[in-house]
Amino acid sequence: MTGKTVTRADLCEAVYQKVGLSRTESATLVEMVLKEITDCLERGETVKLSSFGSFVVRKKGQRIGRNPKTGTEVPISPRRVMVFKPSAILKQRINMEPDAAAE
Amino acid sequence: MIKSELVQKIAAQNPHLYQRDIENIVNAILGEVVAAMARGDRVELRGFGAFSVKNRPARTGRNPRTGAHVSVDQKYVPFFKTGKEMRERLNRDSGGPVGDDEDDED
């Protein structure tokens, strides 16, 4: 557990190291991949990435919520939410011994 | 959409790259996210969401069929929180066409 936060810049660096494109192009490609996934989800489509997991869009119906501070009832309008279902492989990787995971 | 379709879509926009390169790029991105989570790190992708790892402590479970006590070891589970912009985009219920021809600059 190092407790670091990995960002876009780290993903670009990984692409740069592993694929051998320029840093600029690596960054562009990372954005393209994220955009493609986002666009797909926005259309309500499921995105399945084998050995990683899948992103699913779910529709939530309208329900009555409450403002926890005042107790007043507030209607919560129907909306779409996205959930991530990790693959079995990902779950397994996360539970490996830290030493093995660092290899 | 599955991974191979994602690769094809990206490949179509990058005719100067081999499909093999695109596959490596997609795998490098996903591999980096997995490696980070395996280390217990958080992955934050603004506009998309954040991946993190949560600890589930050991507990005594029950076999629902027999009612027998079963000890469940502590484990880590992957967790994803949708980003603000992503959440808004999912609910941008304009009904209008969501074109791939327009590039929103954020």
Side-chain angles (χ1 to χ4, degrees):
Chain A
M1 288 280 169
T2 48
K4 266 180 46 191
T5 297
V6 169
T7 62
R8 271 181 170 74
D10 301 288
L11 299 188
C12 297
E13 186 64 21
V15 170
Y16 171 72
Q17 300 281 346
K18 287 180 188 154
V19 187
L21 301 175
S22 71
R23 281 209 157 80
T24 319
E25 197 165 22
S26 300
T28 309
L29 264 304
V30 168
E31 283 316 313
M32 277 185 174
V33 170
L34 289 174
K35 182 180 189 299
E36 213 52 65
I37 295 173
T38 308
D39 288 353
C40 195
L41 291 165
E42 199 175 344
R43 291 193 299 269
E45 227 183 289
T46 295
V47 178
K48 284 186 188 173
L49 303 168
S50 74
S51 80
F52 183 73
S54 47
F55 296 102
V56 185
V57 179
R58 291 214 181 121
K59 287 198 179 78
K60 299 270 188 181
Q62 179 171 358
R63 64 189 171 89
I64 303 297
R66 255 174 209 283
N67 179 331
K69 200 173 281 181
T70 62
T72 38
E73 290 190 347
V74 194
I76 298 177
S77 46
R79 66 205 193 286
R80 294 199 301 174
V81 296
M82 153 187 172
V83 291
F84 173 62
K85 291 201 224 166
S87 73
I89 296 174
L90 175 57
K91 288 193 224 167
Q92 202 181 14
R93 272 293 301 276
I94 282 163
N95 285 285
M96 283 200 306
E97 290 303 308
D99 300 314
E103 298 292 302
Chain B
M1 179 171 76
I2 60 172
K3 204 200 270 179
S4 58
E5 292 165 340
L6 172 63
V7 168
Q8 279 166 18
K9 284 188 181 181
I10 308 282
Q13 298 165 50
N14 295 274
H16 62 294
L17 295 175
Y18 290 110
Q19 190 147 321
R20 170 75 61 83
D21 293 329
I22 312 285
E23 265 169 45
N24 289 336
I25 290 163
V26 171
N27 288 329
I29 295 170
L30 299 178
E32 190 63 19
V33 175
V34 173
M37 291 172 93
R39 291 194 301 268
D41 290 350
R42 188 182 140 82
V43 180
E44 190 177 308
L45 301 170
R46 285 284 155 85
F48 187 76
F51 297 92
S52 57
V53 178
K54 289 196 169 179
N55 180 250
R56 294 267 181 274
R59 63 188 170 87
T60 309
R62 293 285 203 125
N63 179 328
R65 190 174 299 182
T66 64
H69 289 270
V70 193
S71 70
V72 182
D73 287 345
Q74 70 127 17
K75 63 178 174 186
Y76 295 96
V77 292
F79 180 76
F80 177 78
K81 186 171 190 294
T82 312
K84 184 164 174 272
E85 198 197 317
M86 184 78 222
R87 222 165 41 226
E88 285 166 0
R89 285 187 62 173
L90 288 171
N91 293 290
R92 197 160 66 183
D93 239 350
S94 54
V98 183
D100 1 50
D101 46 347
E102 49 135 348
D103 262 318
D104 289 346
E105 218 64 56
D106 337 336

